[in-house]
Amino acid sequence: MAALLGILLVLPMALSDRPFELRMMVVIFLYAMLGHGWNILGGYAGQISVGHGLFFGLGAYTSTMLSLKLGLNPWFGMAAGGAAAAAAGVLVGIPCFRLKGHYFVIATLVVAESAFQLFAAWDWVGGAMGLQLPVQEQGLLNLQFHRNKVPYYYIALGMLAAVTALVWWLERSRFGYILRALRDDEEAARSLGFSPALYKLLAMALSAGIVGVGGVFFAQYVLFIDPFSVLALSFSVVIALIPILGGAGTVAGPMLGAIVLVPISEYSRVLFSGTGRNVDLLIYGFLIMLISVYRPDGLAGLFRARRERRAYVSG
Amino acid sequence: MSGDLLVQLLLSGIGMGFIFALIAIGLTLIYGVMNVVNFAHGEFLMLSMYASYLAFATWGADPIVTLPFVAALMFVFGLLVYYLLVRRVMQGSMNSQIFATFGLMVFLQAAAQFIMGADYFAVRGGLLSGVLEVGSLILPAPQLAAVVGASTATGVLYWLVFRTATGRSLRAASQDRQAASTLGINVDRMYALAWGIGAACVGIAGSLLSNFYPVFPRVGAIFVLIAYVAVALGGFGSIHGALVAGVIIGLLQVLAGFFISSQLKFVPVYLLYLIVVLVRPRGLFGRL
């Protein structure tokens, strides 16, 4: 663990003149973080959302609009974006948590897709044209780096480390146990005196807030957002796919998922460059079907199965 | 506003409403029979629209002529999806059922974009282009055909589900899987049939729609969203509900498009969904 972190800390020295790989690492960190966010609600609390792109987009739009209209600092925007996403999560959760299973999935889909269509038609937030962030003097204060992108790497790594620690702690905390109890048997959890609605809303707020902060980072990294890049359904799918592929409800899951998925999309973009043919989504869709048929518990389940088999053999 | 305009608006609303209803009926039939939501339903619609368009562009075959073939093709496609994908996850957890058809959705959408590109294609100058003038009314022919075609298809489906022996077996399988199989009903085949009929319904909808709506990879996402709202409003698993809700939504979006703004015509529809979820989660005719 420490060795891995050490390697990740010195890696940018090797990548400083390799922008493609550097970018890929930043995206892996970001997506792993988004996967963690989804995992709190989807993996631990068992509420499958396919609308988390909404919170990512809200974070990105909040900080960008605050910067464009009020000239506010992006760090403040990050706090505001996370808070806005968490608040939206609660607002979405209040009606949607009345639904279970398939119905809940559909509700998250409908809410996120209607938000996408609204933002695409809403001129005040740039409509379908999107928003361009003003270029400012580079530096940590403005959270913009133009010539040398390495600082983004460390910021993304730092955020991922913080969120990973949070989820690691969560898994062992009372809160984490309650969430898993809700997932496994809601009625039993209720009979023990834990309000399912309350804990689901807490999980949703935390989950949406983390994804919202990720959205702010993305906006500062790319300096341009539009509904297609931050609110599209395909993006919501990717956010859910990362932990599902890696293993939902595990700390390692989102990171494993991001390590596998991000290179697929980055390299397929290079191989089929400029065609806009969405080869990455083609592969993703196929992967999702394969996983659901053959490995519903993801890559982490693969490791776990091997460990258990070994334990069984030696025991 | 004039009476003629109102009649035209209502007609166009009902036309769209029947299309929404056909899509929603396919969805609700599959759900009602086997408790699985077909998240790729919109992409079934997209496939049938591409099929109609390609037949028109390659052979000049009008969508209204190819409609039965598209419906048959989609029936087979529905069977394939059931046997190759859905049946394999029926024993699995609910999550793997959700993600199986979800993956299919992502895959089909990306495949369409890969093969056809992101461009919009439209059937131009088909048999049903133009308008019918009845007195002072000007009625667009494609919408009229949608009303006629979709209501016929719905009627046939009603007859099939509620008046035939096969339909009775289908309903038996949906009510109690175990009891149905003790009575000698091949439940597996009924599930496959539900997928076939559901896909054929959406195939007819796509055929009719291609007369007046362009096809592109994301087209299904737009319509299936409305179909989800229709199914939620009508009640999951209820065919009557899907029909009534489809027409209500068709009228609602046309009136909202006229009185508010054409860009925001679906906003009242989504609000309606939220109200249904909050006030009556089982919908108008549901048995949740």
Side-chain angles (χ1 to χ4, degrees):
Chain A
M1 198 65 182
L4 181 68
L5 201 61
I7 293 172
L8 286 178
L9 281 175
V10 296
L11 191 62
M13 292 177 190
L15 294 181
S16 57
D17 55 345
R18 303 183 70 119
F20 177 79
E21 282 79 4
L22 188 70
R23 186 193 125 84
M24 190 156 81
M25 291 308 292
V26 173
V27 177
I28 288 177
F29 296 153
L30 174 65
Y31 278 26
M33 173 180 152
L34 301 178
H36 275 315
W38 185 93
N39 205 18
I40 293 173
L41 183 70
Y44 290 103
Q47 307 299 311
I48 306 288
S49 155
V50 287
H52 261 48
L54 169 64
F55 308 123
F56 187 78
L58 273 181
Y61 271 98
T62 303
S63 71
T64 305
M65 287 301 286
L66 285 177
S67 162
L68 282 174
K69 303 279 170 183
L70 301 174
L72 288 179
N73 181 279
W75 292 102
F76 180 81
M78 191 172 272
V90 172
L91 277 180
V92 170
I94 289 171
C96 293
F97 283 137
R98 294 167 58 111
L99 307 170
K100 292 194 176 62
H102 289 100
Y103 304 102
F104 178 77
V105 179
I106 290 179
T108 60
L109 191 69
V110 172
V111 171
E113 184 71 17
S114 25
F116 169 79
Q117 291 184 14
L118 276 180
F119 273 77
W122 190 9
D123 289 331
W124 189 66
V125 294
M129 301 293 292
L131 295 170
Q132 194 102 38
L133 265 156
V135 173
Q136 288 167 316
E137 195 184 329
Q138 69 172 354
L140 197 58
L141 180 68
N142 285 330
L143 195 49
Q144 285 192 12
F145 305 93
H146 306 303
R147 216 160 300 134
N148 180 3
K149 302 277 183 190
V150 170
Y152 283 120
Y153 175 99
Y154 285 112
I155 294 169
L157 180 61
M159 292 199 309
L160 174 62
V163 174
T164 306
L166 176 73
V167 176
W168 187 85
W169 168 81
L170 189 92
E171 198 180 73
R172 282 149 188 79
S173 72
R174 185 182 143 86
F175 182 54
Y177 279 105
I178 297 172
L179 290 188
R180 272 169 285 174
L182 272 182
R183 173 190 69 191
D184 296 335
D185 192 337
E186 190 170 322
E187 289 313 309
R190 191 200 302 273
S191 72
L192 290 173
F194 301 113
S195 156
L198 174 70
Y199 283 97
K200 283 181 193 170
L201 284 179
L202 284 173
M204 174 64 117
L206 192 58
S207 169
I210 290 171
V211 172
V213 169
V216 177
F217 174 81
F218 178 83
Q220 291 297 127
Y221 182 53
V222 182
L223 296 179
F224 168 76
I225 56 170
D226 64 1
F228 304 97
S229 63
V230 298
L231 281 168
L233 177 62
S234 55
F235 193 69
S236 294
V237 172
V238 173
I239 296 179
L241 177 58
I242 293 161
I244 288 164
L245 173 72
T250 63
V251 179
M255 293 184 277
L256 281 174
I259 290 168
V260 175
L261 286 182
V262 173
I264 291 178
S265 87
E266 296 293 313
Y267 282 113
S268 72
R269 223 167 269 167
V270 173
L271 282 174
F272 300 86
S273 62
T275 51
R277 296 267 184 202
N278 271 350
V279 180
D280 47 345
L281 285 177
L282 196 68
I283 300 170
Y284 285 179
F286 194 69
L287 265 181
I288 301 175
M289 286 190 282
L290 276 186
I291 297 166
S292 59
V293 172
Y294 294 107
R295 276 246 70 87
D297 49 354
L299 291 176
L302 210 64
F303 291 118
R304 196 183 306 139
R306 187 173 303 160
R307 210 180 314 147
E308 272 161 18
R309 197 161 51 231
R310 206 183 300 144
Y312 177 77
V313 168
S314 60
Chain B
M1 77 192 269
S2 70
D4 286 357
L5 186 59
L6 187 67
V7 171
Q8 277 166 27
L9 275 181
L10 292 182
L11 183 86
S12 134
I14 293 173
M16 280 315 276
F18 267 99
I19 301 257
F20 294 147
L22 256 186
I23 305 170
I25 285 174
L27 198 62
T28 210
L29 184 73
I30 294 171
Y31 181 82
V33 171
M34 58 191 300
N35 273 322
V36 167
V37 173
N38 178 17
F39 283 103
H41 208 63
E43 281 54 46
F44 286 24
L45 180 82
M46 170 203 73
L47 284 185
S48 60
M49 289 179 76
Y50 272 117
S52 302
Y53 167 77
L54 286 174
F56 183 79
T58 342
W59 302 303
D62 197 84
I64 205 72
V65 177
T66 51
L67 185 143
F69 301 101
V70 172
L73 206 67
M74 289 309 293
F75 182 87
V76 174
F77 185 73
L79 292 186
L80 283 178
V81 168
Y82 174 72
Y83 282 117
L84 294 180
L85 180 67
V86 179
R87 192 159 76 149
R88 291 163 185 258
V89 294
M90 280 312 284
Q91 304 300 326
S93 67
M94 196 191 68
N95 286 358
S96 49
Q97 290 167 19
I98 290 173
F99 283 105
T101 58
F102 213 86
L104 184 65
M105 172 196 93
V106 176
F107 179 77
L108 290 177
Q109 213 179 94
Q113 184 149 350
F114 185 72
I115 297 167
M116 302 293 294
D119 298 333
Y120 286 51
F121 296 104
V123 171
R124 287 190 205 290
L127 289 175
L128 288 174
S129 55
V131 293
L132 283 180
E133 288 183 42
V134 182
S136 59
L137 283 178
I138 299 169
L139 305 174
Q143 264 93 342
L144 270 184
V147 175
V148 175
S151 50
T152 313
T154 315
V156 170
L157 188 76
Y158 261 83
W159 171 78
L160 194 76
V161 174
F162 293 102
R163 290 282 178 272
T164 65
T166 315
R168 201 175 312 127
S169 308
L170 203 62
R171 280 179 292 139
S174 82
Q175 278 165 14
D176 190 333
R177 178 189 178 135
Q178 218 100 53
S181 36
T182 4
L183 293 172
I185 294 168
N186 186 339
V187 175
D188 187 44
R189 190 174 297 164
M190 287 304 129
Y191 286 175
L193 190 65
W195 276 86
I197 297 175
C201 281
V202 86
I204 295 171
S207 244
L208 293 168
L209 198 58
S210 65
N211 278 306
F212 60 98
Y213 206 92
V215 54
F216 49 96
R218 268 183 53 83
V219 70
I222 296 168
F223 281 91
V224 80
L225 206 62
I226 306 294
Y228 288 141
V229 179
V231 171
L233 175 62
F236 270 85
S238 164
I239 296 181
H240 319 287
L243 180 61
V244 173
V247 174
I248 292 177
I249 290 170
L251 288 171
L252 185 65
Q253 55 99 22
V254 163
L255 294 177
F258 185 78
F259 289 109
I260 304 171
S261 120
S262 66
Q263 265 187 324
L264 299 177
K265 65 182 176 186
F266 287 129
V267 173
V269 178
Y270 303 140
L271 288 179
L272 182 68
Y273 175 78
L274 283 182
I275 293 169
V276 171
V277 167
L278 270 174
V279 179
R280 195 179 163 86
R282 69 191 183 91
L284 294 174
F285 305 98
R287 48 171 197 207
L288 187 76

